[in-house]
Amino acid sequence: MSEQATLNNKYVGYADYKDSRVEELGRLPATWGVKKVNYLFSFGRGLNITKANLEDTGIPVVNYGEVHSKYGFVVDPVIHPLKCVSSEYLKTNPGALLRRGDFVFADTSEDLEGAGNFTHFDGSCDLFAGYHTVVLRPQHDNLPRFLAYAFDSLECRSQVKLAVKGVKVFSVTQGILKDVALPVPPIEEQRTIAAFLDYETARIDSLIDKQQRLIELLKEKRQAVISHAVTKGLNPDALLKDSGVEWLGQVPEHWECSRVGWLCEIGNGMTPNRNNIDYWSEGHFPWLNSSKVNDGEVYFAEQFVTETAFAECSLPWVKSNSVIMAITGEGKTRGTTAITRIDTTINQHVAYMMPTSDRIVPDFLCMWLQSQYGRIRFESAGWGSTKAAITCSDIKAYPVPLPPVLEQISVVEFVKASNTKFDNLMAKATKQVDLLQERRTALISAAVTGKIDLRGWTQPVKEDAA
């Protein structure tokens, strides 16, 4: 059963409806109005500044980045930590200073899904709208909280998405926003709908938060299982010895210690000239960039180079069952490790470790490096330099525990079985999050378009704990 059908079974609708004459809104309660945003708000813009203008103290400012990733829907500087601008902007740019109830839309988005992202100011202190933002100020007797839910509904967002244009960057102009049609119930119904949605979405958000915390705990537990298996083995009664290596600590007495460079050929790749069609057109040799390390196990490539590229460029041929690692960047990818299940080549942001010794099992090496992700990240953070990076020399020097080969295989099999269990638990939790988010979306849409009649709704009284 769909979420909308579930809501229709739980709540009753209005007695009379009318055609809104807006395709996205459909039929609305007969007593409701419809108005375009242009007639409900005045428009302004945020400060014409860049990141370089931001400071740690001064007047808080909300930029398009916070709208997209941190404080969507509502922002309050008392609760949310924000960067600031000098108080001099109060004199030179008072028009960008927000009032309680104002809306701040991001005027660009890197994907279509983010087109229409906004936040509304629900605080009493000074707050500026920052760069790449459009400011909407409610003009008439409408409740900002209701308007926020209306803007957040699928019916409104779909209007924005249909109007924006772009390929890599999608622009949300004042003209696009002005043309969006919003449902306008009587003010008392707006208050009831907003209170209902505040109550119900808070309950749903709490359940989502619990599931997301569960997912994080499962990730931590999974990492702990891997780390213990590749450093202590599977026998809890094994006698331990001091390895003499900080990374390894104590290891089982019968284990050896080695270095990645003593066991593997190590190098990195390059990117053939994109403008040379002979290097790329109809190529059939797999070529991987750093994003592929996130696959964990690489079974296919999205990009291919030609035989000419191999003949004229310094491309390594990385054999199947080699370990690869992302070696540059500030994001989470740097230090992430995967194993290839295909013969391939790589770009300059990826290093390969191709075993040259039969004393190391590739999957064991990969799991060991995965268990050391935090340390690898820390040691490659690039303190004092302009860019964090891992070098091939760094990788050669990485220590690695070396159990007997059969024991390495047993550890690999154990970890894979354990990972499957954790993956299944995380998949269930992720599915629950998706269902809750689907319910949240359906509830907002049903309430702000009058599919359910909330007149007379009152917030349930909290029962005292027994």
Side-chain angles (χ1 to χ4, degrees):
M1 183 181 292
S2 69
E3 285 297 334
Q4 188 60 61
T6 302
L7 293 173
N8 290 341
N9 287 338
K10 186 174 181 180
Y11 302 97
V12 298
Y14 284 73
D16 297 308
Y17 288 86
K18 65 182 180 184
D19 186 357
S20 69
R21 297 188 179 181
V22 178
E23 182 179 351
E24 289 78 15
L25 297 180
R27 293 170 61 79
L28 296 174
T31 57
W32 289 23
V34 178
K35 285 191 177 181
K36 289 196 173 182
V37 168
N38 187 41
Y39 300 104
L40 296 171
F41 298 85
S42 61
F43 280 72
R45 297 202 66 85
L47 295 173
N48 185 22
I49 60 174
T50 66
K51 284 184 179 180
N53 300 106
L54 299 180
E55 303 173 358
D56 292 328
T57 59
I59 307 299
V61 58
V62 58
N63 298 302
Y64 79 110
E66 281 94 4
V67 171
H68 279 306
S69 62
K70 290 185 178 180
Y71 312 125
F73 190 77
V74 65
V75 64
D76 182 353
V78 174
I79 302 171
H80 303 135
L82 295 164
K83 283 289 192 178
C84 301
V85 291
S86 168
S87 58
E88 288 298 313
Y89 284 95
L90 290 171
K91 302 174 185 177
T92 58
N93 294 80
L97 193 65
L98 299 173
R99 297 179 191 167
R100 187 169 192 167
D102 284 355
F103 289 78
V104 181
F105 279 79
D107 72 0
T108 57
S109 174
E110 293 182 357
D111 55 58
L112 187 58
E113 193 62 32
N117 281 352
F118 71 93
T119 191
H120 81 285
F121 177 36
D122 189 25
S124 55
C125 58
D126 286 340
L127 176 65
F128 274 115
Y131 50 89
H132 285 300
T133 62
V134 179
V135 178
L136 278 67
R137 176 162 294 162
Q139 285 184 326
H140 301 297
D141 297 330
N142 290 293
L143 188 71
R145 192 69 167 187
F146 170 81
L147 296 174
Y149 281 117
F151 275 129
D152 204 32
S153 67
L154 283 174
E155 289 75 9
C156 169
R157 285 184 170 274
S158 62
Q159 293 179 62
V160 176
K161 290 176 185 177
L162 286 170
V164 297
K165 292 180 173 61
V167 180
K168 292 185 177 180
V169 176
F170 298 86
S171 296
V172 180
T173 64
Q174 289 190 17
I176 287 172
L177 294 174
K178 287 179 179 180
D179 205 39
V180 171
L182 296 181
V184 184
I187 189 65
E188 285 304 318
E189 290 181 54
Q190 292 185 31
R191 290 193 181 96
T192 303
I193 291 168
F196 168 81
L197 288 174
D198 280 347
Y199 176 76
E200 291 292 343
T201 57
R203 295 174 64 201
I204 293 172
D205 289 344
S206 176
L207 294 172
I208 290 173
D209 185 57
K210 288 178 182 177
Q211 291 298 318
Q212 289 176 331
R213 287 204 305 270
L214 173 60
I215 292 170
E216 290 307 310
L217 288 171
L218 288 169
K219 287 180 180 177
E220 291 175 10
K221 180 64 175 175
R222 169 179 164 159
Q223 186 70 9
V225 169
I226 295 173
S227 296
H228 189 273
V230 296
T231 55
K232 299 295 186 286
L234 305 180
N235 181 5
D237 300 320
L239 296 176
L240 302 178
K241 67 180 179 182
D242 185 358
S243 67
V245 180
E246 182 184 357
W247 283 38
L248 303 182
Q250 289 192 319
V251 297
E253 276 190 337
H254 63 288
W255 286 21
E256 298 179 42
C257 299
S258 188
R259 301 273 175 184
V260 175
W262 299 345
L263 303 167
C264 301
E265 175 188 327
I266 296 163
N268 65 311
M270 61 87 64
T271 302
N273 188 339
R274 292 283 188 180
N275 295 321
N276 190 333
I277 193 171
D278 291 337
Y279 292 162
W280 297 95
S281 180
E282 298 183 8
H284 59 276
F285 294 103
W287 179 87
L288 309 179
N289 60 24
S290 59
S291 67
K292 290 299 288 183
V293 297
N294 296 306
D295 289 3
E297 294 184 69
V298 180
Y299 288 95
F300 61 90
E302 286 82 16
Q303 302 181 71
F304 300 84
V305 295
T306 64
E307 189 171 348
T308 302
F310 259 100
E312 299 180 3
C313 305
S314 301
L315 285 166
W317 189 236
V318 182
K319 294 180 180 178
S320 176
N321 292 321
S322 294
V323 179
I324 58 173
M325 177 187 288
I327 58 176
T328 63
E330 294 292 344
K332 293 182 179 180
T333 300
R334 189 185 82 251
T336 300
T337 309
I339 190 163
T340 67
R341 301 304 187 193
I342 55 172
D343 293 342
T344 186
T345 189
I346 54 178
N347 77 2
Q348 67 274 21
H349 302 296
V350 183
Y352 68 87
M353 289 156 267
M354 195 155 45
T356 55
S357 169
D358 57 8
R359 299 168 64 214
I360 186 70
V361 174
D363 289 78
F364 181 86
L365 173 61
C366 187
M367 290 174 181
W368 159 249
L369 292 171
Q370 288 171 348
S371 76
Q372 298 300 306
Y373 171 79
R375 184 184 290 270
I376 290 170
R377 292 276 303 179
F378 178 79
E379 295 198 356
S380 65
W383 310 118
S385 65
T386 58
K387 187 175 183 181
I390 300 165
T391 67
C392 290
S393 294
D394 292 334
I395 295 173
K396 288 178 182 179
Y398 289 158
V400 58
L402 204 61
V405 167
L406 289 179
E407 193 170 345
Q408 291 182 47
I409 293 171
S410 295
V411 168
V412 168
E413 290 175 348
F414 169 81
V415 169
K416 285 185 176 181
S418 176
N419 284 349
T420 298
K421 293 177 183 177
F422 283 114
D423 288 344
N424 289 338
L425 290 172
M426 286 188 284
K428 289 179 181 178
T430 300
K431 184 177 180 180
Q432 187 62 27
V433 169
D434 292 341
L435 290 172
L436 287 166
Q437 289 174 334
E438 182 184 335
R439 176 171 176 76
R440 191 184 194 279
T441 299
L443 197 64
I444 292 172
S445 290
V448 301
T449 60
K451 300 298 187 293
I452 54 179
D453 185 355
L454 297 170
R455 291 173 296 180
W457 178 86
T458 56
Q459 182 171 320
V461 179
K462 244 183 185 179
E463 295 183 3
D464 293 333

